[in-house]
Amino acid sequence: ESSEESSLSLPDYLQKHEYQIVDTDDQHFGELILVNKEHACVGNGTMLRSLMDNDDRHYALTDKTVSLNQEVIADFDRMMDDFYAIYGDTDIMVACGFRSQEVQAGLYRREAESVGEEEAALWVAPPGYSEHQTGYAFDLNLAGHYGDGSGNISYENVPPYSWINENCSRYGFILRYPEGREDVTGFHAESWHFRYVGYASACLMAEYSMTLEEYLSFVRRYTAEDPLVVFTDNGSYALYYTEATEYAHTSVLVPSDYSYTISGDNAGGFIVTVSLDN
Ligand SMILES: [Zn+2]
């Protein structure tokens, strides 16, 4: 890594910058990875932690194995704390978080046997292509209505729960399969399936009503020299894209004096998110 002298063509936040060398394979990891029918999940869950670890949680779990990427849990707990503070409701149940490839294979097989392969594919992703394998996605259910034997999800986008659907972006989450976007996502609308993408990106996707597919195509156009800037309730952020190289390592231009995160997009590159307020 090398520090470089200021350059006139770069925006203020990059006046002091350096190159971070990342493993090119890391393009398959991070909170912005795209996993859908065209983009397989390369990992099988990273940095997983059980949601049982939080003794003060205001939600239920189907069982003690429910786990998510550890970066996600604090923001999810914060969202559920705020939901509880407003409504005093503890009915929300996390029905499913991380799912292994093996579990996904079983789910898909059972669904295909029950409704046929074509219809099954609109509800359940084939093994290797489920967001649940990332550890960044989860399904909500309602504890009071669970166990009716049908196995169906009872969570709906109706009060008071609609507060979650309406406010989740403020905690870094998106509703991954929105109504009316089935042609883009490849899945029937699911009011219960949420995905963590990080705060700045969730704000942008909410503001522009974009699915993850659309958002990632959009962000690709932005460079470090001319980034996408978003102003949020919690400060402003600059986002830009760096294409992955064909080599083992990729150099990513980053600011020296601002904090930032780098996530792969699982579609050939990296997205840098810079916090402009520190
Ligand atoms: Zn789901």
Side-chain angles (χ1 to χ4, degrees):
E1 290 180 30
S2 63
S3 244
E4 299 201 350
E5 290 308 305
S6 66
S7 156
L8 286 175
S9 64
L10 290 170
D12 282 352
Y13 79 100
L14 281 175
Q15 285 304 312
K16 285 185 76 182
H17 59 267
E18 57 204 37
Y19 285 92
Q20 182 167 338
I21 311 301
V22 298
D23 285 343
T24 300
D25 278 349
D26 283 349
Q27 66 181 289
H28 305 296
F29 299 95
E31 73 266 16
L32 283 167
I33 52 171
L34 179 65
V35 172
N36 60 20
K37 285 165 187 167
E38 280 88 46
H39 295 84
C41 181
V42 170
N44 203 5
T46 44
M47 296 193 298
L48 297 172
R49 220 184 73 198
S50 168
L51 273 69
M52 286 286 281
D53 293 354
N54 177 4
D55 294 329
D56 299 322
R57 65 182 183 277
H58 293 117
Y59 53 87
L61 301 167
T62 37
D63 61 61
K64 63 182 184 215
T65 68
V66 179
S67 59
L68 286 171
N69 181 290
Q70 62 184 16
E71 289 173 31
V72 179
I73 297 175
D75 285 329
F76 179 70
D77 284 346
R78 211 159 45 80
M79 178 168 76
M80 295 316 299
D81 288 350
D82 289 353
F83 175 73
Y84 177 75
I86 298 167
Y87 297 104
D89 187 299
T90 55
D91 211 19
I92 294 292
M93 169 185 267
V94 183
C96 175
F98 167 73
R99 222 182 260 154
S100 70
Q101 172 124 355
E102 296 69 40
V103 169
Q104 187 69 27
L107 269 182
Y108 185 74
R109 196 174 54 243
R110 280 193 296 281
E111 187 76 4
E113 282 165 7
S114 140
V115 299
E117 190 113 5
E118 200 175 322
E119 178 64 15
L122 296 173
W123 291 106
V124 180
Y129 296 85
S130 169
E131 273 210 324
H132 285 284
Q133 278 175 237
T134 67
Y136 290 110
F138 56 86
D139 296 330
L140 295 183
N141 209 328
L142 299 179
H145 307 267
Y146 198 68
D148 63 356
S150 71
N152 288 333
I153 292 279
S154 52
Y155 179 93
E156 283 185 71
N157 185 11
V158 295
Y161 316 113
S162 47
W163 181 92
I164 296 170
N165 297 52
E166 284 157 20
N167 290 278
C168 65
S169 62
R170 299 200 287 116
Y171 303 87
F173 297 96
I174 57 164
L175 188 69
R176 181 66 177 90
Y177 307 117
E179 231 175 298
R181 315 311 286 275
E182 294 84 350
D183 55 331
V184 180
T185 64
F187 283 97
H188 284 307
E190 294 188 355
S191 59
W192 58 85
H193 178 111
F194 294 86
R195 162 70 194 267
Y196 187 76
V197 293
Y199 177 69
S201 289
C203 288
L204 278 161
M205 291 172 68
E207 189 178 330
Y208 296 129
S209 294
M210 283 181 179
T211 62
L212 186 57
E213 281 82 2
E214 293 162 322
Y215 174 70
L216 291 173
S217 305
F218 175 68
V219 175
R220 281 178 81 98
R221 303 178 208 156
Y222 291 90
T223 60
E225 293 77 14
D226 189 15
L228 172 61
V229 176
V230 56
F231 303 95
T232 73
D233 293 343
N234 292 308
S236 44
Y237 297 83
L239 294 97
Y240 54 90
Y241 178 79
T242 300
E243 195 167 11
T245 65
E246 57 190 293
Y247 308 106
H249 297 103
T250 296
S251 304
V252 181
L253 183 63
V254 294
S256 303
D257 292 340
Y258 294 87
S259 66
Y260 62 87
T261 57
I262 301 176
S263 172
D265 69 354
N266 199 33
F270 297 92
I271 290 151
V272 183
T273 304
V274 180
S275 170
L276 296 176
D277 296 294
N278 63 311

